[in-house]
Amino acid sequence: MQQHSQNSSLTAGTVPPESAGRRPRRRDGRGGWAAKRITGALAALTTVVGLSSLASPGAHAADNPYERGPAPTTSSIEAARGSYSVSQTTVSSLAVTGFGGGTVYYPTSTADGTFGAVVISPGYTGTQSSISWLGARLASQGFAVFTIDTLTTLDQPDSRGRQLLAALDYLTERSSVRTRVDGSRLAVMGHSMGGGGSLEAAKSRPSLQAAIPLTPWNTDKSWPEVSTPTLIVGADGDTIAPVASHAEPFYGSLPSSTDKAYLELNNATHFTPNSSDTTIAKYSISWLKRFVDNDTRYEQFLCPLPRPSLTIEEYRGNCPHTS
């Protein structure tokens, strides 16, 4: 049974008016230093010491104990791998309840303490192999990533939402890597019906730090209950979950008080999230870093809003982010 033939008959609905995201505002700087004129070598020494202290990664990390990895650049978040070496472990479906098992990808090193975590669900008729490319790619940036199989490949979004939460509970409470995971910094992602499931999970568990639905499908078009920071990724060529009847109304129904963004991929299809994609990875990493790790070093990639490009058809959001 093919996903396209099953899902294409399910897409329908009138698009509700969408509440536009606020236009970005540039944040003010932190202000300048009131410099006094002093002379000689002492002036140069004072300047060098002062600047090196401000630029110190250790000083910045002390302000936010959840920062992981070096200061980001466009190249580092677009790279196929981040700064962490990654290990992985298989979780058998026979060893768990509430979902179908999966694979955990995690940073090998324990030197930086615990990591935030994200569980990812595949779509209708799909298995974890369809979203496995995200596992090592996100983990190498400093996250524990759990790509799961669902109880059956035909499970609907509400069931997938419950399975995402069951997988998070297993990961943080019973898994072999539970001591590496910070149970207070958790997120969900999913493709298609798994994306719809990630909205269901965020609705059910407001304590989640982030949600990223990828070309999401759901019969429920309105999500005013979701307070979790949510990045919705749509595709301009999606004929299974067209953005006009899925991703766009999902985004528009999120409260204006919720940190939210809508990324529409250019020249993409419903199945683009099933293969390695730099644009999806770039903004997923930035969103997870910003809200799971509260790492404001990544705000620069989200605000001001990214402009249309060869890979971005449209990007909306409310900036600056507040959470």
Side-chain angles (χ1 to χ4, degrees):
M1 183 179 297
Q2 296 299 313
Q3 182 173 6
H4 186 285
S5 63
Q6 290 297 317
N7 283 3
S8 58
S9 64
L10 299 176
T11 57
T14 303
V15 183
E18 181 181 358
S19 52
R22 297 191 296 271
R23 299 303 300 167
R25 303 191 300 272
R26 292 188 179 274
R27 291 186 175 182
D28 293 333
R30 296 191 177 185
W33 289 274
K36 294 183 179 181
R37 292 185 178 275
I38 55 178
T39 59
L42 180 59
L45 178 62
T46 301
T47 301
V48 169
V49 171
L51 290 178
S52 64
S53 175
L54 286 170
S56 166
H60 195 205
D63 295 333
N64 176 17
Y66 304 136
E67 284 184 8
R68 299 290 182 267
T73 63
T74 297
S75 295
S76 74
I77 61 174
E78 291 184 347
R81 290 293 181 270
S83 61
Y84 289 95
S85 296
V86 173
S87 298
Q88 66 185 72
T89 183
T90 300
V91 178
S92 169
S93 61
L94 301 177
V96 300
T97 57
F99 65 104
T103 305
V104 182
Y105 304 82
Y106 58 95
T108 303
S109 172
T110 59
D112 292 340
T114 57
F115 296 90
V118 54
V119 175
I120 311 175
S121 167
Y124 189 66
T125 75
T127 65
Q128 64 164 317
S129 63
S130 66
I131 37 88
S132 62
W133 70 272
L134 285 161
R137 189 154 185 172
L138 297 180
S140 70
Q141 296 284 347
F143 296 100
V145 184
F146 197 1
T147 59
I148 66 169
D149 281 315
T150 47
L151 294 172
T152 80
T153 59
L154 307 183
D155 292 334
Q156 298 295 299
D158 57 344
S159 174
R160 291 171 191 268
R162 292 191 297 272
Q163 292 180 60
L164 283 165
L165 297 179
L168 278 175
D169 292 341
Y170 170 82
L171 182 64
T172 57
E173 297 169 8
R174 297 182 297 281
S175 76
S176 62
V177 299
R178 62 188 179 279
T179 58
R180 298 171 179 263
V181 177
D182 183 344
S184 68
R185 297 189 290 121
L186 305 176
V188 288
M189 294 179 67
H191 171 241
S192 190
M193 284 195 182
S198 68
L199 288 167
E200 300 278 4
K203 175 181 174 180
S204 298
R205 190 174 293 182
S207 61
L208 293 175
Q209 300 298 295
I212 307 179
L214 304 171
T215 57
W217 188 99
N218 202 310
T219 56
D220 186 348
K221 310 301 181 185
S222 184
W223 301 92
E225 312 92 342
V226 172
S227 58
T228 297
T230 300
L231 167 64
I232 294 179
V233 179
D236 63 346
D238 194 336
T239 58
I240 294 174
V243 294
S245 56
H246 289 78
E248 288 186 301
F250 296 169
Y251 169 78
S253 69
L254 295 170
S256 59
S257 57
T258 295
D259 286 303
K260 61 178 183 175
Y262 170 72
L263 165 62
E264 185 174 322
L265 301 171
N266 185 38
N267 195 26
T269 74
H270 185 70
F271 299 104
T272 295
N274 290 158
S275 302
S276 181
D277 185 274
T278 297
T279 303
I280 291 174
K282 174 181 181 178
Y283 291 102
S284 295
I285 291 165
S286 298
W287 197 262
L288 293 171
K289 285 286 190 179
R290 177 63 184 82
F291 293 105
V292 174
D293 289 355
N294 195 32
D295 193 336
T296 55
R297 297 179 300 174
Y298 289 80
E299 180 87 352
Q300 62 181 302
F301 306 111
L302 304 170
C303 299
L305 300 180
R307 296 179 178 274
S309 66
L310 291 176
T311 61
I312 297 176
E313 174 70 19
E314 182 182 3
Y315 193 105
R316 309 176 207 170
N318 49 3
C319 288
H321 297 115
T322 57
S323 297

